[in-house]
Amino acid sequence: MFLKSNLSAQLNQSCSYGVIVTLVALLTPSITAAQTSSMDDDLYDEVTIVGERMAPSKGDVTLDSTRFDADDLDSNMGFSLDHLLDRDAGFSLFRRSTSFLSHPTTRGVSLRGFGTNGAGRALVTLDGVPLNDPFGGWVNWPLVHANLADATLYKGSGLGRWGSGALTGAIELTSKRITDTSADAEIQVGSHNTGQLKAQVQQAFDGGGFYIYGQQFDSDGAYIISQDQRGPVDTKAASRVTAIGVGVQYEFPTVRLHGKAAFGKDKRINGLDLSRNQTDSADLSLSLISVDDYADLTWQVNGYFQSRSFENSFASVQSIFIARDNQRLVLDQFDVPGTSFGANGLMRYALNALTDIELGGDIRLMDGETNELFRNLGDGFTRSRLAGGEQVIAGAFLRWSHTPLTALTVDASIRVDQWKVSDGVRREFDLNADRAVLRDDQFDDQSGTTPTGRFGLAFDAGLVTLNAAAYQGFRLPTINEYYRPFRVGNDITEANGSLKEETITGFELGLDGDLMNDGYWSIRGFYQSLKNGVGNVTLGFGPGVIEPGGFVPEGGVLRQRNNIDKSSALGLEASFDASINHYLSINASYQWLDSEIKEFSLMPALVGNRLPQSPKHRGRAGVVGTWGEGFRFEANVHYESARYEDDQSRRSMPSATWVSLRTDFPLYEQFSGFVWAENIFNQEITSRIDAAGLVNVARPRQIMVGIKAAF
């Protein structure tokens, strides 16, 4: 086994590879028996059961989308889905780091790179069920299971089936179909004492099937502080991820049922021994979908429950980065629970061969709080804090899709959301014997009604297709943004219980075309205007007392989440995929983005500044070669121009270029092998710069070797 003994000493082991291996071993005999019985006696009919949303609407051709299919998913150059999605230049997490080394609260995703933040501004769904964290809005990518048929990025807002959260678009994931009884497993080992094992078994039976999957990931991780600034207290960002899930699918005469349960644990050390976090997750969902996608009336209903338990501690290094030989725990968020209940549904009716009408609605109830210890002056924590609240978001929509001409498709959506933020509280206590109440804030409830919508068209002119759209979307700030403060080293960020909802208005115009040698090209221009965008706004620099955060140490900065009145982004995105011959193809994805703050009454001096974490240029170019039976090679060059860390446009992170490679090859019968590498030349890629000039780095060179087995 390749489990690391030193990481086992750092992190409490919650699940071992042996559990997953044993699972496959126990179920493999039944798989073999079922396959034999099927061949000999034809007792088992092959079934096609889907855990997905309804068939695409005819109006979906008007959307700007990028689809990653099963082959793309199998050739991922990373450990989790965000590595693959990063091939699209319009996809970005909060910082340059992938989920391999990043803090969970920075894994929120945005599309088109506009106004990224830790919570994210894109909705992520699996078979119609949202995956965004109910407390913080981010997505815990390492816990998104691998049983996926495809992943589709939709860029742009306002489509009826998307509500709050889909400010810049949505990412829709679809589960695999159960078509037979089978088992598969994958194991890979490599750099930084890293290992990952994934296994899945699916059993078909008359009228349905079930599956069970598991994943274990362990890594010593890499240093996240630049090499020339590290000190004795700096350690590698070790991690352990465990995930397991089960599902059952059954087809009644007119209705298909898909029930799922998923559980996961993500434990991490964030570069300092005292800076740790852990996320425990549980997800339950039940979906009902009409069977005949070609009937005049089709529908789907989903119900779900999410539970998250988050623990998080932050440490400060006293000797800045000159010696970095002394650390102190400055914030211990020992209990940060979040839960969500929700349901959604849609119904599509074909009025005639030219027109579809779609109706739907959804509701999501979320609550969460942070329980934490803070103000450690060297002799232990002296204060505690409780902060949190509740949210309810409910919406309904109407969508009309029409093809008045063979070459023309028109699509229009209108949606209305009713939302409420309530029971917001922030209480702080002195930990002395008298437990004196130092602060007791009761935030006013907020509620509102927000209309959104989208109008799009697609005109097929033969050689090219013209696309145009106008849209409006919104995002309600998360419970985390309203109430949870945090601290990274000496950089302190305060919450804000008075935030307003974000709204976006956008326009886009594009051309898509097919290439003669089995390929495509696409180019699209867009303009987006964001009102009340939530940003981490700088209030002052330490040392000294700065309200509302209190004392800020030397080399530190105090920020607070605030609504920026108006920001804008003008952008251009382009992509192509072209076959050179039967064996070789080339592809590329590029985004140019010009974003800036247009109006900000609280901080007029920031007007004209570029939005943080929004590079002007971002792109990737790749080559793919295939030959023989199962041989495949892929190479990608990634580039990103400089981006700012802060709203002041003072901390500029240099541009970054890195190369990733992967090759797949057959081994023996059901076995195949692969090798992949990211940042093969080990370029130092800056992901963060703090107020004192300390540099965090991301995407270290990673080389992995693996074996797959399919039965």
Side-chain angles (χ1 to χ4, degrees):
M1 293 294 177
F2 52 79
L3 277 170
K4 305 171 295 304
S5 59
N6 58 337
L7 182 58
S8 296
Q10 296 172 344
L11 300 172
N12 294 323
Q13 185 169 356
S14 58
C15 182
S16 69
Y17 291 94
V19 173
I20 301 171
V21 174
T22 303
L23 172 67
V24 177
L26 289 173
L27 292 180
T28 299
S30 65
I31 293 168
T32 305
Q35 291 172 330
T36 303
S37 176
S38 177
M39 290 184 292
D40 293 345
D41 302 318
D42 199 27
L43 295 177
Y44 291 87
D45 297 328
E46 183 175 286
V47 293
T48 303
I49 299 178
V50 185
E52 61 182 14
R53 293 184 70 94
M54 292 168 7
S57 165
K58 63 180 62 179
D60 284 359
V61 299
T62 69
L63 303 175
D64 180 15
S65 64
T66 301
R67 179 176 178 267
F68 295 91
D69 61 19
D71 291 338
D72 296 319
L73 294 165
D74 287 340
S75 61
N76 192 5
M77 298 183 201
F79 302 110
S80 55
L81 185 61
D82 61 298
H83 291 77
L84 174 65
L85 300 179
D86 196 42
R87 296 187 192 183
D88 188 301
F91 173 93
S92 60
L93 300 186
F94 179 45
R95 293 195 170 96
R96 285 173 175 165
S97 182
T98 65
S99 61
F100 173 54
L101 294 179
S102 65
H103 195 277
T105 61
T106 65
R107 295 177 188 157
V109 59
S110 287
L111 301 174
R112 289 179 169 165
F114 174 45
T116 58
N117 67 4
R121 290 191 168 109
L123 180 68
V124 182
T125 64
L126 173 60
D127 301 329
V129 175
L131 296 181
N132 301 72
D133 188 275
F135 179 76
W138 50 75
V139 179
N140 205 322
W141 297 101
L143 296 179
V144 177
H145 70 77
N147 183 39
L148 298 177
D150 59 44
T152 306
L153 280 68
Y154 294 99
K155 287 167 277 188
S157 190
L159 189 66
R161 67 175 181 260
W162 306 331
S164 175
L167 193 78
T168 61
I171 301 173
E172 296 185 344
L173 312 178
T174 304
S175 295
K176 285 182 179 178
R177 299 169 180 261
I178 295 182
T179 57
D180 55 17
T181 298
S182 62
D184 57 80
E186 174 184 306
I187 186 171
Q188 55 179 316
V189 296
S191 304
H192 313 298
N193 205 14
T194 301
Q196 184 177 52
L197 173 63
K198 296 186 289 187
Q200 176 171 307
V201 174
Q202 63 180 35
Q203 174 81 56
F205 52 76
D206 189 18
F210 75 89
Y211 59 86
I212 182 169
Y213 65 86
Q215 170 186 325
Q216 180 77 22
F217 171 85
D218 281 284
S219 179
D220 283 355
Y223 289 106
I224 60 175
I225 300 298
S226 181
Q227 184 173 1
D228 60 355
Q229 294 181 344
R230 291 176 205 152
V233 300
D234 294 303
T235 186
K236 294 182 178 180
S239 59
R240 166 173 282 126
V241 178
T242 303
I244 189 168
V246 296
V248 61
Q249 302 173 346
Y250 191 82
E251 190 166 321
F252 298 94
T254 59
V255 177
R256 181 180 301 139
L257 176 148
H258 188 184
K260 294 176 291 184
F263 307 91
K265 184 185 292 290
D266 184 350
K267 303 181 71 173
R268 295 180 178 263
I269 298 174
N270 289 314
L272 296 170
D273 188 58
L274 295 179
S275 292
R276 300 176 177 234
N277 65 75
Q278 175 176 314
T279 302
D280 293 282
S281 68
D283 293 78
L284 305 174
S285 65
L286 181 67
S287 301
L288 296 173
I289 181 172
S290 58
V291 173
D292 188 358
D293 291 331
Y294 299 97
D296 289 341
L297 178 65
T298 55
W299 55 270
Q300 181 173 1
V301 176
N302 301 300
Y304 59 89
F305 167 75
Q306 294 175 301
S307 174
R308 298 290 183 271
S309 178
F310 183 54
E311 300 173 19
N312 184 59
S313 61
F314 291 108
S316 174
V317 177
Q318 302 306 107
S319 300
I320 313 300
F321 59 80
I322 298 174
R324 292 188 64 79
D325 56 3
N326 184 19
Q327 61 179 314
R328 184 176 76 235
L329 198 62
V330 293
L331 183 62
D332 182 10
Q333 297 174 329
F334 59 88
D335 183 22
V336 187
T339 58
S340 172
F341 295 88
N344 58 58
L346 61 88
M347 177 183 68
R348 185 182 304 137
Y349 182 68
L351 292 177
N352 50 54
L354 303 179
T355 308
D356 286 348
I357 296 292
E358 192 170 284
L359 299 168
D362 51 70
I363 184 170
R364 193 179 189 195
L365 298 85
M366 295 164 283
D367 66 78
E369 64 184 33
T370 177
N371 298 276
E372 56 194 52
L373 304 174
F374 68 105
R375 195 171 181 268
N376 180 1
L377 302 180
D379 296 320
F381 290 108
T382 61
R383 294 179 182 177
S384 66
R385 178 188 294 127
L386 164 67
E390 299 179 358
Q391 291 182 340
V392 179
I393 308 173
F397 68 89
L398 171 66
R399 183 183 185 189
W400 174 77
S401 301
H402 183 57
T403 53
L405 303 172
T406 303
L408 178 65
T409 300
V410 180
D411 187 54
S413 298
I414 185 169
R415 179 183 173 102
V416 178
D417 281 273
Q418 180 74 40
W419 53 267
K420 184 177 182 180
V421 181
S422 60
D423 297 331
V425 64
R426 177 169 175 171
R427 297 191 182 99
E428 297 179 359
F429 306 90
D430 195 313
L431 291 180
N432 294 327
D434 58 0
R435 293 282 299 178
V437 177
L438 303 175
R439 178 172 181 172
D440 190 2
D441 296 346
Q442 307 289 326
F443 298 100
D444 292 338
D445 292 352
Q446 299 184 53
S447 61
T449 301
T450 305
T452 56
R454 184 182 184 277
F455 179 82
L457 59 84
F459 182 75
D460 187 352
L463 295 177
V464 298
T465 298
L466 170 69
N467 287 275
Y471 52 81
Q472 190 169 54
F474 93 108
R475 184 185 77 92
L476 190 66
T478 63
I479 299 172
N480 172 69
E481 290 171 297
Y482 277 117
Y483 307 117
R484 172 184 166 266
F486 68 93
R487 177 172 176 169
V488 181
N490 290 325
D491 287 4
I492 302 167
T493 301
E494 275 289 316
N496 187 344
S498 301
L499 293 172
K500 303 174 183 177
E501 75 274 22
E502 302 177 336
T503 57
I504 195 170
T505 302
F507 308 91
E508 61 183 61
L509 182 65
L511 292 173
D512 302 323
D514 293 329
L515 296 173
M516 295 183 63
N517 288 331
D518 187 24
Y520 75 90
W521 60 270
S522 176
I523 185 168
R524 189 170 263 95
F526 59 89
Y527 176 82
Q528 299 182 131
S529 177
L530 179 63
K531 182 180 179 182
N532 292 327
V534 178
N536 296 334
V537 178
T538 301
L539 300 182
F541 298 88
V545 175
I546 306 173
E547 295 302 331
F551 180 76
V552 179
E554 182 178 0
V557 61
L558 177 70
R559 298 191 182 99
Q560 185 182 36
R561 300 184 184 102
N562 276 288
N563 293 111
I564 299 173
D565 297 344
K566 184 179 179 181
S567 306
S568 69
L570 178 67
L572 177 72
E573 54 189 16
S575 62
F576 76 88
D577 192 327
S579 295
I580 303 301
N581 53 43
H582 184 67
Y583 308 101
L584 191 67
S585 65
I586 57 175
N587 58 83
S589 177
Y590 168 75
Q591 177 182 266
W592 172 83
L593 188 73
D594 185 19
S595 66
E596 66 174 313
I597 297 174
K598 289 289 190 180
E599 300 175 13
F600 195 11
S601 57
L602 179 66
M603 296 282 184
L606 299 185
V607 173
N609 284 6
R610 188 174 185 85
L611 291 176
Q613 308 297 340
S614 294
K616 179 168 285 190
H617 303 281
R618 198 169 190 271
R620 178 199 56 81
V623 58
V624 178
T626 57
W627 65 96
E629 184 66 29
F631 288 94
R632 184 181 185 277
F633 173 79
E634 181 176 0
N636 288 294
V637 179
H638 304 255
Y639 172 76
E640 184 181 287
S641 62
R643 62 161 81 180
Y644 287 109
E645 166 72 24
D646 63 325
D647 59 319
Q648 306 283 311
S649 295
R650 295 182 180 180
R651 307 183 206 172
S652 177
M653 293 179 284
S655 62
T657 304
W658 67 97
V659 177
S660 55
L661 308 170
R662 176 164 175 143
T663 182
D664 294 79
F665 46 89
L667 291 175
Y668 175 74
E669 294 185 350
Q670 294 96 342
F671 294 89
S672 61
F674 62 91
V675 179
W676 65 265
E678 183 180 53
N679 193 6
I680 189 69
F681 299 111
N682 205 28
Q683 299 295 304
E684 184 171 278
I685 299 172
T686 302
S687 65
R688 177 177 176 268
I689 303 176
D690 75 4
L694 187 69
V695 176
N696 284 33
V697 294
R699 298 181 183 269
R701 178 165 56 202
Q702 184 82 31
I703 302 175
M704 301 296 294
V705 179
I707 296 175
K708 293 181 179 180
F711 302 95

